[in-house]
Structures are given as structure tokens and as C-alpha cells.
Amino acid sequence: MLKHRKDNINNKISKVIPNHLAIIMDGNGRWAEENNLPRYAGHKAGVKTVRMVITESIRVGIGILTLYAFSTENWKRPKQEISSLMGLFEEIIEKEKEELLENKIRIRFMGHREELPLSLRLAMENIEEETKLNNLLLLNIALNYGGRSELCHVFRLLSEEIVQGHIEPSQITQELINKNLLTSGLPDPDLLIRTGGELRISNFLLWQIAYTELWFTKTFWPDFSKKQLWKALTDYEKRVRKFGGKV
Ligand code: IPE
Ligand code: IPE
Ligand code: MG
């Protein structure tokens, strides 16, 4: 799904932008360590990068931005880090609400909600409801999300449909699986950016990134700049996407 865009920074016409950009926002902890700060300060410092990415996404015309905020494996971290992160998520939702509404951003969360603190869950539901008619940018936040857990859920659901006699095994198609994923109705990410230097996927959108273009940087998330985002977008423009075919 390629679109043309105007390059606002250099005032020249650029070829294509990703319609769906996904980001693994990694490196907050190491950024904090490097700056002799507690890990929590790294997560907090990462919020301004989130703001920058949202602003730039709107500016260039990205339609869907999916951010990995907390994985199903992140519960393995010290209790104190987890509770400060949960507090930060809630604080951001409250603080940014007006701006999200003003900028016509729609927020959706993907992941298991039951395990999250009740006050956070309520804040999430509330902002989803309040922004549901916005359509300038869809901001998808993966919070307590895991790709394997998402697929497990789909397998269980479709098995149940078979047991109940609603479908035959032969009716399980890629389309049906897509329909039952948390990203149901959305196109797959065109570009996936991971900051923080690790060259792995860490259980993010396993099914959806089959043909996504990958872009990695060593820069820690709090230091990820507008310039680097534009570098990722420019590199993406040069990629030849073949989807297994011949161009
Ligand atoms: C990413 O930064 C944020 C979350 C996983 C919540 P990290 O906290 O993983 O930072 P590093 O990788 O330890 O530097
Ligand atoms: C991935 O980062 C999860 C998020 C950014 C939310 P991690 O820091 O949890 O990944 P690993 O442990 O390095 O694979
Ligand atoms: Mg990490």
C-alpha cells in the first residue's frame, strides 16, 4: 500500500511512505544507565520521542503507527520497574488526552488487559472511546502484547469454531486468521523500526511482519531523532518490495 508524499523538511517530492509504520521502542534502560539515572528515567525520557514520532507521522501522512510499549515477557522485570511503567502509561494517557483529541488521533491498545492494573485499564478504555471517531492517524499501542500469545488465542478460537461445527478445518485460511488477530482490519506493517541495537523481533507482530521491511539502529529510544526517522523513511523508499514475486 504505497502512497506519495511531499517531503516537508527538504521541500522535495518523495516517492513513497509506509502506510503502516511499526516500532520496537528499545534501549530506554541502557540510555538511563549511560546517563547514571534509574531505568524509570529512561522510560520517561522516551515519551518525548513518542511525541516526535507521532507528530512526524502525521506530517508525512502515515496512516497507522503501531508502537511496542510492553511485551508479555516484560513481566519478568523487577516489580518496581513494572509498577513505574504502569504508572507512566496511565500518566501519559491522562496528560496527552487533549492533544490526541485536537490532533484527530485515534488510539487503540492491543494485548491482554486483564493482567493490567484496573485504573490503567479504565484509562485505556476511556481514551479509546473518546478518540474512536478520529481518523487522521491510528495509533496502535501494543501493551502486554506478545505475538505468540496472539496466535495462540486465534488457534483456540478457530478450534472452538470447528468443535462447535461452525467451520471445517479446510476453511481456515490466511484471511480468516487475519480477521481474528488483534490487528484485524488493518494492513500489515510496511516498515518496522527497532531502536536500541538488538537485531531481533522479541515476539512482536510475528504473523503480520512476514513481508515487512526491517530497519535497525543502535540509537537508544530516548535519543532517536527526527533526522533518524527521516533516514529510515528515506531508506524505505529505496527498498524493492517483491513479496516473493519478480519486479
Ligand atoms: C524498552 O526499553 C522499553 C520496554 C521494554 C518497556 P528497555 O527497558 O528494554 O531498555 P533496554 O533494552 O534495557 O536498554
Ligand atoms: C521489546 O524489548 C519489547 C518492547 C520494546 C516493549 P525488550 O527489551 O523486552 O526485548 P529483549 O528482551 O531485548 O528481546
Ligand atoms: Mg530492551
Side-chain angles (χ1 to χ4, degrees):
M1 217 181 264
L2 305 177
K3 277 201 283 188
H4 289 262
R5 75 162 150 85
K6 191 159 183 302
D7 181 332
N8 291 320
I9 283 188
N10 300 311
N11 243 352
K12 64 173 192 242
I13 302 294
S14 307
K15 275 186 304 192
V16 284
I17 53 143
N19 181 34
H20 185 174
L21 170 65
I23 307 183
I24 301 176
M25 311 181 287
D26 196 25
N28 294 347
R30 282 163 289 159
W31 180 92
E33 273 160 39
E34 248 188 28
N35 289 281
N36 290 317
L37 293 165
R39 290 181 64 86
Y40 171 71
H43 299 308
K44 216 170 162 149
V47 179
K48 68 168 186 346
T49 313
V50 173
R51 281 201 205 98
M52 177 278 287
V53 170
I54 293 174
T55 309
E56 290 310 300
S57 296
I58 293 176
R59 206 144 79 100
V60 301
I62 286 167
I64 305 158
L65 176 63
T66 299
L67 302 177
Y68 203 6
F70 193 89
S71 77
T72 44
E73 285 72 37
N74 286 149
W75 296 105
K76 293 176 191 160
R77 297 191 178 200
K79 271 205 172 73
Q80 204 192 350
E81 183 178 352
I82 295 174
S83 66
S84 62
L85 266 169
M86 297 299 154
L88 184 63
F89 294 144
E90 204 176 317
E91 192 188 311
I92 300 169
I93 294 175
E94 279 311 318
K95 260 202 193 146
E96 304 293 323
K97 199 191 271 179
E98 285 311 310
E99 202 148 336
L100 293 167
L101 280 166
E102 267 170 36
N103 288 305
K104 305 224 174 334
I105 298 166
R106 177 174 182 190
I107 292 240
R108 264 182 36 169
F109 293 93
M110 314 193 294
H112 296 283
R113 300 190 186 207
E114 317 78 63
E115 292 151 35
L116 302 174
L118 180 64
S119 54
L120 173 59
R121 258 157 54 196
L122 292 174
M124 286 160 62
E125 281 167 21
N126 180 270
I127 200 153
E128 281 182 329
E129 182 60 28
E130 288 206 38
T131 61
K132 73 175 180 201
L133 298 176
N134 290 351
N135 55 12
L136 193 56
L137 174 76
L138 173 62
L139 179 59
N140 247 331
I141 307 213
L143 210 168
N144 198 17
Y145 171 89
R148 286 185 172 178
S149 149
E150 178 185 34
L151 288 170
C152 235
H153 173 78
V154 177
F155 299 154
R156 277 192 212 124
L157 208 115
L158 296 181
S159 312
E160 193 58 35
E161 292 285 293
I162 293 172
V163 171
Q164 300 287 329
H166 298 143
I167 57 167
E168 295 286 327
S170 60
Q171 286 174 280
I172 297 184
T173 58
Q174 296 188 20
E175 288 70 31
L176 188 61
I177 292 173
N178 272 329
K179 245 191 211 166
N180 286 285
L181 290 169
L182 294 166
T183 47
S184 171
L186 303 181
D188 289 340
D190 299 294
L191 173 65
L192 170 69
I193 293 175
R194 180 172 187 148
T195 61
E198 312 292 1
L199 303 179
R200 56 179 172 252
I201 297 304
S202 302
N203 205 11
F204 193 36
L205 302 173
L206 297 179
W207 172 277
Q208 296 90 334
I209 58 168
Y211 276 103
T212 298
E213 295 296 324
L214 309 177
W215 195 91
F216 297 96
T217 174
K218 285 185 179 156
T219 305
F220 298 141
W221 180 247
D223 286 335
F224 184 64
S225 65
K226 202 190 283 192
K227 206 169 154 197
Q228 279 172 304
L229 176 63
W230 279 78
K231 173 83 173 85
L233 294 175
T234 315
D235 286 350
Y236 170 79
E237 285 179 357
K238 294 181 200 133
R239 303 272 179 97
V240 180
R241 304 187 73 186
K242 297 195 279 190
F243 300 95
K246 168 104 179 59
V247 176

